[in-house]
Amino acid sequence: MSRTLFTSRQGGDLKLSHQREILRASLSLPVLHFMKQSHSDTVLVVDGTGADFECDGLITNIKGVGLAALAADCMPITFSAAQWVGVAHVGRVGFIKGIAQKTVEMMRELGAGEIKATIGPSICGDCYEVSPQMYQEISEHFPAARTSNSRHALDLQRGVTFELEEMGVVVQNLNVCTLEDPNYFSFRRGAETERQAGLISL
Ligand SMILES: [Zn+2]
């Protein structure tokens, strides 16, 4: 059995190490791994040792090793299987690079069976307006992320849901929009650089 948690503003600014430590202790986890996220397509397997992982996806099969992805409009996505868990930080760039799918692929290569994914609080398809050119480029390659041509808003939650379901992953979207819901940090709301987290552990 895995445990999944998505923090809100009440979790504090998780860019700060002492807040991360408070969170780890509150969950009674021996280890809670965070990532140095860079919108990459790098996924790493971790076992509770090491730190400063430069990646945007983590997986583990060690009980008690928590994995966390920070986000404030980007999608924190957790993955669970019988003996593996994973987490990914998926923004627009990571979505295009396929970081969520790569996390699933790596879990499967290591023997994970059925995988369930949960899309945490993130900016929704009504709110995520981009330039007309960017909208055009991305919606051409990822039709599931389209909304309306007049507004140029991308629905990355739906886009990644489609991609993961194509791989046979069971996807749950919490349908929480970080820009609309003041309980969450939102980069687009402005004047904020704080982050919340999606966490999972076995
Ligand atoms: Zn929204």
Side-chain angles (χ1 to χ4, degrees):
M1 268 305 274
S2 61
R3 279 200 300 171
T4 304
L5 173 74
F6 292 92
T7 68
S8 65
R9 272 175 184 277
Q10 289 169 353
D13 177 2
L14 290 169
K15 293 210 304 187
L16 302 172
S17 58
H18 70 272
Q19 293 282 19
R20 299 181 185 188
E21 177 55 23
I22 290 167
L23 181 62
R24 181 200 65 73
S26 73
L27 296 169
S28 302
L29 288 168
V31 182
L32 179 55
H33 284 312
F34 287 82
M35 303 180 278
K36 284 180 120 175
Q37 303 171 176
S38 61
H39 302 281
S40 70
D41 64 352
T42 305
V43 184
L44 298 176
V45 184
V46 290
D47 63 2
T49 61
D52 293 332
F53 305 106
E54 297 201 12
C55 60
D56 288 82
L58 285 175
I59 65 178
T60 191
N61 64 345
I62 310 290
K63 192 170 165 53
V65 174
L67 311 176
L70 297 184
D73 287 346
C74 289
M75 294 176 280
I77 305 184
T78 59
F79 301 89
S80 66
Q83 295 179 36
W84 287 91
V85 288
V87 74
H89 159 250
V90 188
R92 185 186 73 247
V93 174
F95 169 70
I96 293 167
K97 289 179 178 173
I99 181 71
Q101 299 94 307
K102 287 192 177 184
T103 307
V104 168
E105 279 167 14
M106 192 175 287
M107 287 174 74
R108 287 197 172 142
E109 278 168 22
L110 291 164
E114 186 182 325
I115 298 173
K116 291 180 181 167
T118 304
I119 301 172
S122 43
I123 195 163
C124 83
D126 287 332
C127 294
Y128 188 46
E129 287 189 47
V130 296
S131 71
Q133 187 191 352
M134 190 179 283
Y135 180 81
Q136 188 67 25
E137 281 173 16
I138 294 174
S139 62
E140 245 171 51
H141 289 98
F142 303 99
R146 275 183 197 150
T147 56
S148 77
N149 288 322
S150 57
R151 290 191 52 243
H152 310 116
L154 289 170
D155 191 337
L156 295 185
Q157 294 177 350
R158 195 169 69 216
V160 80
T161 297
F162 177 84
E163 297 294 328
L164 292 173
E165 285 180 347
E166 283 285 290
M167 300 177 79
V169 175
V170 175
V171 182
Q172 178 191 21
N173 182 0
L174 297 184
N175 283 313
V176 174
C177 176
T178 43
L179 182 56
E180 292 174 67
D181 189 333
N183 291 312
Y184 294 90
F185 298 119
S186 166
F187 183 75
R188 282 228 170 177
R189 200 183 295 125
E192 296 184 76
T193 53
E194 297 90 344
R195 300 284 184 273
Q196 55 251 341
L199 307 110
I200 193 162
S201 67
L202 280 171

